[in-house]
Amino acid sequence: MINLSAMLAENCTKSAVLFNSKKRILEYIAELAHQQLPEISEYSILEALMTREKLGSTGIGGGIAIPHGKLDCVQQPMLIFVVSKDAIPFDAIDNQAVDIFCGILIPKEQCQTHLATLAGIAKLLSQKELTKKIRHAESDAHLYQLLIEYSQLAGEA
């Protein structure tokens, strides 16, 4: 399983945000990532996310999307976890609106890391009990704690 605590900062975990479009939620993910990686412009991060979205939606179904992008300047995988108060149309594979977004920035040359991170996040978010709790997280700190707790439990399984 993936080590979420190494990739996810508490200030990159946001619950009950209010956005109403795919573009705006991706802009917000880019903004949060830029705060953690000030050497990379918000525009570059957004461009990496949008480039991947143009290949096909990263909405994996069940109200979940994993927008991701590869960047030269990223040294290790980084997660940005955002839960929208209201679900947003996202062109997901099941045509359902999305409210759980796990943005991932990956070093450009680390293809295996990229695939392992995506698989680990998808596996973690396939737990219905967890996604229900994520949707009802009372605060950013509560959301962060849930994610870390469940990823540690998954690592022990």
Side-chain angles (χ1 to χ4, degrees):
M1 197 62 186
I2 59 170
N3 181 1
L4 257 188
S5 57
M7 292 185 264
L8 182 65
E10 190 167 347
N11 59 353
C12 284
T13 308
K14 302 292 178 186
S15 66
V17 300
L18 296 169
F19 295 111
N20 61 5
S21 73
K22 182 176 187 172
K23 183 174 188 280
R24 188 61 194 110
I25 198 82
L26 293 174
E27 288 171 345
Y28 185 62
I29 289 169
E31 180 184 320
L32 291 173
H34 171 67
Q35 290 171 11
Q36 287 297 113
L37 302 166
E39 67 278 9
I40 306 173
S41 73
E42 242 177 85
Y43 177 79
S44 295
I45 296 167
L46 180 61
E47 188 176 44
L49 295 172
M50 295 297 283
T51 297
R52 173 54 190 86
E53 285 300 319
K54 286 177 186 167
L55 297 174
S57 177
T58 56
I60 62 170
I64 299 166
I66 308 176
H68 52 280
K70 297 179 184 179
L71 288 160
D72 284 325
C73 308
V74 175
Q75 302 303 311
Q76 61 187 25
M78 178 188 164
L79 303 182
I80 303 92
F81 207 96
V82 177
V83 180
S84 180
K85 187 168 175 39
D86 299 312
I88 298 168
F90 207 81
D91 305 317
I93 59 171
D94 62 358
N95 294 317
Q96 298 299 308
V98 173
D99 59 350
I100 297 174
F101 301 87
C102 181
I104 308 173
L105 299 181
I106 307 274
K108 199 166 208 159
E109 302 305 320
Q110 293 185 18
C111 205
Q112 281 310 113
T113 301
H114 177 74
L115 296 174
T117 303
L118 282 172
I121 293 296
K123 183 177 180 185
L124 185 68
L125 294 176
S126 70
Q127 299 176 63
K128 300 288 184 213
E129 180 185 334
L130 174 60
T131 56
K132 184 177 181 181
K133 287 181 178 182
I134 285 171
R135 288 183 169 104
H136 295 96
E138 298 157 13
S139 66
D140 297 349
H142 182 226
L143 176 60
Y144 177 77
Q145 207 50 52
L146 271 173
L147 292 166
I148 297 302
E149 180 183 312
Y150 270 79
S151 72
Q152 289 170 344
L153 288 172
E156 294 167 4

